[in-house]
């Protein structure tokens, strides 16, 4: 039987409506500062999306666009200024930064209470021990999708393919916190298919078109495709062979229209959370 398609776009719209309503009931408007350095076209698109999402939900946003040749000190000074501003609840530095920047030092400079991307080591540590304020956007978006479609990770075998700090590792941690038995795979994992076939919940977060084929998926598995790749025709696609896998899985996310919209919503969620923590 063909899988149920998990509609990330529809769920994102529902979440946004709820966030907008919550924002309307706050004493002050939440504020997000987005910093972009240089002119990476993909980063420009992401930043525009973020500003548009904020406007739709009644969140104040401001953009700081620094030139490609900007210096680390300039960026750190700006972050310091924003850290001290009461009207700004969240600070987001769009990655990647140009080569002259020390990304780690930049992210560490953001006040953990305004770290709406959840990249600061303090927030990563809080996530590890289950005492988080913020959740990393993409993995949190995936968990919201599982919840919406009644896919309870408890007691299931979840296999996460990819171990990056922004997706794979925190995804595994969130699934573990929800009582899944979790296996993390990566580029050195031998016999990947043998492991993915054991998954009740399979999360692909690699960035390789067509990596997950139907023979690698257990009948009835829930398959979440985090990847955002471009195929040979330049079309957006995931890691999963969607057409073949949907005939075997019980649930599957499309690309586009799956995890991407939910990642965007989780940034709004974190900004709302920050505003509440700041007493708004
Ligand atoms: P990343 O930092 O490049 O990490 C990729 C991971 O995949 C690494 O852990 C790597 O293993 C592993 N890997 C590479 N080749 C593999 C193979 N043949 N078999 C198994 N594992 C393999 O990427 P990322 O930032 O996590 O992003 C992953 C994908 O998600 C990308 O397509 C990205 O565009 C997408 N993404 C989407 C969203 C969204 O909103 N939908 C958000 C973030 C990212 P090693 O660690 O051993 O190198």
């Amino acid at each position: 039987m063909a899988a149920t398609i998990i509609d990330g776009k529809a769920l994102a719209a529902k979440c946004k409506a709820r966030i907008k309503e919550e924002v309307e009931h706050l004493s002050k408007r939440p504020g997000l500062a987005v910093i972009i350095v240089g002119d990476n076209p993909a980063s420009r698109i992401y930043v525009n999306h973020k500003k548009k999402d904020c406007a739709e939900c009644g969140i104040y946003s401001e953009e700081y666009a620094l030139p490609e040749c900007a210096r680390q000190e300039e960026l750190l000074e700006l972050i310091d200024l924003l850290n001290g501003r009461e009207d700004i609840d969240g600070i987001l530095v769009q990655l990647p930064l140009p080569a002259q920047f020390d990304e780690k030092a930049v992210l560490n400079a953001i006040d953990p209470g305004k770290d709406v991307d959840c990249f600061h080591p303090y927030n990563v540590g809080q996530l590890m021990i289950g005492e988080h304020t913020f959740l990393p956007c993409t993995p949190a978006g995936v968990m919201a999708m599982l919840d919406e479609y009644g896919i309870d990770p408890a007691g299931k075998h979840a296999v996460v393919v990819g171990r990056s700090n922004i997706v794979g590792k925190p995804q595994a941690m969130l699934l573990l916190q929800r009582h899944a038995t979790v296996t993390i795979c990566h580029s050195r994992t031998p016999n990947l298919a043998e492991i993915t076939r054991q998954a009740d919940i399979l999360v692909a977060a690699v960035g390789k078109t067509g990596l997950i084929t139907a023979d690698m998926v257990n009948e009835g598995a829930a398959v979440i495709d985090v990847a955002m790749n471009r195929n040979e025709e330049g079309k957006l696609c995931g890691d999963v062979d969607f057409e073949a896998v949907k005939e075997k899985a019980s649930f599957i996310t499309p690309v586009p229209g799956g995890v991407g919209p939910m990642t965007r919503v989780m940034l709004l969620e974190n900004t709302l959370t920050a505003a509440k923590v700041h007493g708004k």
Side-chain angles (χ1 to χ4, degrees), residues 138 161-164 167 186-187 205-208 226-229 260 263:
T138 300
V161 190
R163 58 170 166 179
S164 71
V167 188
H186 47 80
S187 67
V206 173
K208 290 206 165 132
V226 172
M228 289 202 305
N229 314 319
T263 297

Side-chain angles (χ1 to χ4, degrees), residues 226-240:
V226 172
M228 289 202 305
N229 314 319
R230 296 269 166 199
N231 67 11
E232 285 150 6
E233 294 113 55
K235 243 182 87 188
L236 200 61
C237 61
D239 287 340
V240 176

